[in-house]
Amino acid sequence: MSPRPTPDPMKVALARGTLSRRTLLSSVGAFGMATALASCGTKGTATKTAPSDQAAKDLSDTEKIVRWSNWPEYIDVDDKTQKHPTLDAFEKQTGIKVTYAEDYNDNDEFFAKVKPQLQAGQDTGRDTWCSTDWMVARLIRLNWVQKLDKANIPNAKNLETALTQVEFDPGRQYSLPWQSGFTGIAYNPKATDGKKIESIDQLLTDPALKGKVTLLTEMRDTVGLVLLAMGKDPAKFTDADFQAAIDEIKKAKDAGQLRGFTGNEYGKPLAAGDIAACIAWTGDVVQLQADNPALGYVLPSTGHMIWSDNFVIPNKAGHKKNAEALINYYYDPKVMAAVEDYVNYISPVKGSKEVLLAEDPSVANNPLIFPSDAVLAQSHVFRGLTEAEETKYNQEFQALIGA
């Protein structure tokens, strides 16, 4: 990697690659939810695969390749050559050639792309890819991803403790995180008369913010934060809890509290003060702070959402052992440190902070890239949904936001 200027710690925390990965995730907005209904949320549109039909003959020993699909600009890049140093090092170390495709632009769009092969029990042309938590839950539910052979991934022991037990994949049998990030609240002090906005309750009820609040079109982020504000756990909520959260949002909408629901296009109006406060992804704020450093960002005291994009290995992958070797490689703290030094997301690998303390202290000491145990303890993952729940909840939320 070519040298870069030493960044401001908070701005690094907010940078975290959002202009690539999260921008692409949010840019589909309500369309993404409509796609969810079309692609799999509707009953009967996806067939569960029998476990006996998941594996293919593993060609790893004779074909030294691995095919990896990932989100764009979500890995270390040499600014001069535009190559990926960690991938080059993996190939040199193992003799395994990586076919790296940046063709994962949206969870549902990607699912629709691979669904025909998975449903037909065919090779998708990929040995691994990185799906967001809720999509991993869907893939596991359908038996469309294979159990990881941890004997081939000894470095999995380095997984951060806070990420080891997740509701959608107990024991991390099918997935290991690639990168993680937070969802919280952004605000413009000029539009709030200098008041710090610290809670979801303020967003939904404070009369001083009336008509100047936006929530996200990403259901799991918006409903998740509202559930937390209501004292409910997004990993364990009931139908009644979900409906209560929807009712709270609808009450605020009907009262004129909300300006609307957005992807990350809240940026310009937030900077201008047309939006006083909003639910936001950390990285979106950094580009605005270059011109307006007063813009604030907080993680609510009631808890915040954490999302991860996770390695999975699809059914019929032709090079499963090679994919596991790749995952194992990135769970080496020194390798993951090189990735984090470039992308600035939350590292899932223990020991990567210690590497960066010597190599790039500004990143290592950033609490949003390497959050404290206390901050991680306040982080929550939205639980996996059944097929019926996925359809029902998406329809209810889509109706609420007027998509």
Side-chain angles (χ1 to χ4, degrees):
M1 185 187 307
S2 59
R4 292 181 292 144
T6 301
D8 174 81
M10 180 54 72
K11 290 186 178 181
V12 170
L14 296 171
R16 246 178 262 157
T18 302
L19 293 178
S20 53
R21 185 256 185 261
R22 292 303 283 181
T23 299
L24 285 161
L25 177 63
S26 63
S27 63
V28 291
F31 174 76
M33 282 177 286
T35 306
L37 296 173
S39 64
C40 183
T42 305
K43 183 176 176 62
T45 60
T47 304
K48 189 172 183 177
T49 298
S52 60
D53 294 329
Q54 290 182 278
K57 180 180 179 181
D58 196 340
L59 303 174
S60 294
D61 290 337
T62 55
E63 294 183 0
K64 294 296 184 180
I65 61 172
V66 61
R67 304 161 298 175
W68 178 14
S69 284
N70 203 0
W71 301 79
E73 299 181 47
Y74 207 26
I75 194 172
D76 54 306
V77 179
D78 185 300
D79 296 330
K80 292 181 179 179
T81 66
Q82 295 305 301
K83 291 184 177 181
H84 307 297
T86 58
L87 284 181
D88 291 345
F90 172 77
E91 293 181 348
K92 184 176 181 179
Q93 180 184 117
T94 65
I96 299 170
K97 173 69 177 176
V98 182
T99 301
Y100 185 74
E102 295 185 326
D103 60 348
Y104 202 123
N105 295 314
D106 169 71
N107 282 289
D108 282 303
E109 176 191 72
F110 187 83
F111 180 85
K113 193 184 317 186
V114 298
K115 175 184 171 184
Q117 289 83 13
L118 289 169
Q119 191 152 271
Q122 299 171 350
D123 184 2
T124 63
R126 301 164 176 88
D127 298 306
T128 188
W129 62 65
C130 298
S131 287
T132 307
D133 299 320
W134 60 269
M135 180 56 71
V136 174
R138 181 192 290 179
L139 292 166
I140 292 172
R141 187 182 74 220
L142 292 168
N143 284 341
W144 283 2
V145 289
Q146 301 183 62
K147 285 188 178 181
L148 302 173
D149 185 347
K150 295 295 181 64
N152 295 329
I153 316 175
N155 284 337
K157 68 180 185 297
N158 296 325
L159 176 62
E160 286 286 357
T161 303
L163 298 172
T164 56
Q165 292 297 331
V166 288
E167 181 275 339
F168 63 86
D169 184 12
R172 287 288 184 182
Q173 297 184 75
Y174 296 89
S175 66
L176 281 169
W178 164 243
Q179 302 292 315
S180 300
F182 290 141
T183 307
I185 298 171
Y187 64 97
N188 186 330
K190 289 185 177 179
T192 65
D193 294 326
K195 182 191 298 184
K196 186 176 183 179
I197 308 303
E198 301 180 285
S199 72
I200 296 300
D201 183 64
Q202 282 178 280
L203 291 185
L204 299 181
T205 64
D206 190 336
L209 304 178
K210 187 172 183 178
K212 292 187 175 184
V213 172
T214 60
L215 310 182
L216 289 171
T217 54
E218 176 58 47
M219 177 188 73
R220 289 160 178 83
D221 284 325
T222 291
V223 174
L225 285 175
V226 173
L227 283 168
L228 287 168
M230 296 169 60
K232 303 295 183 179
D233 186 348
K236 299 178 181 177
F237 68 88
T238 64
D239 266 356
D241 295 334
F242 183 88
Q243 189 58 57
I246 291 292
D247 290 344
E248 286 299 308
I249 299 169
K250 186 176 186 301
K251 188 188 305 181
K253 180 182 177 182
D254 292 346
Q257 184 74 6
L258 306 182
R259 176 185 171 95
F261 298 81
T262 73
N264 72 334
E265 65 268 22
Y266 53 72
K268 289 184 179 179
L270 176 67
D274 297 325
I275 292 175
C278 59
I279 294 179
W281 293 302
T282 47
D284 282 338
V285 182
V286 67
Q287 57 188 312
L288 305 172
Q289 285 192 326
D291 297 319
N292 189 350
L295 291 178
Y297 188 86
V298 298
L299 299 173
S301 61
T302 51
H304 51 274
M305 301 304 293
I306 184 172
W307 50 266
S308 295
D309 294 320
N310 308 271
F311 282 114
V312 293
I313 297 178
N315 289 359
K316 301 300 182 180
H319 311 90
K320 183 173 185 287
K321 189 165 69 171
N322 289 346
E324 289 163 343
L326 178 77
I327 298 169
N328 185 64
Y329 169 78
Y330 278 102
Y331 267 70
D332 180 317
K334 188 170 181 63
V335 176
M336 185 55 73
V339 175
E340 298 307 335
D341 199 36
Y342 193 89
V343 303
N344 300 147
Y345 279 82
I346 297 174
S347 172
V349 176
K350 292 178 182 176
S352 51
K353 176 178 181 177
E354 286 68 26
V355 174
L356 284 170
L357 280 171
E359 298 180 357
D360 194 343
S362 66
V363 171
N365 291 317
N366 190 308
L368 293 181
I369 297 174
F370 293 98
S372 67
D373 290 342
V375 171
L376 283 172
Q378 286 291 94
S379 303
H380 298 265
V381 175
F382 202 90
R383 71 171 173 82
L385 303 178
T386 65
E387 187 174 3
E389 287 174 331
E390 190 166 16
T391 299
K392 177 182 177 182
Y393 295 164
N394 277 329
Q395 287 177 336
E396 290 182 5
F397 189 70
Q398 185 181 26
L400 172 66
I401 70 174

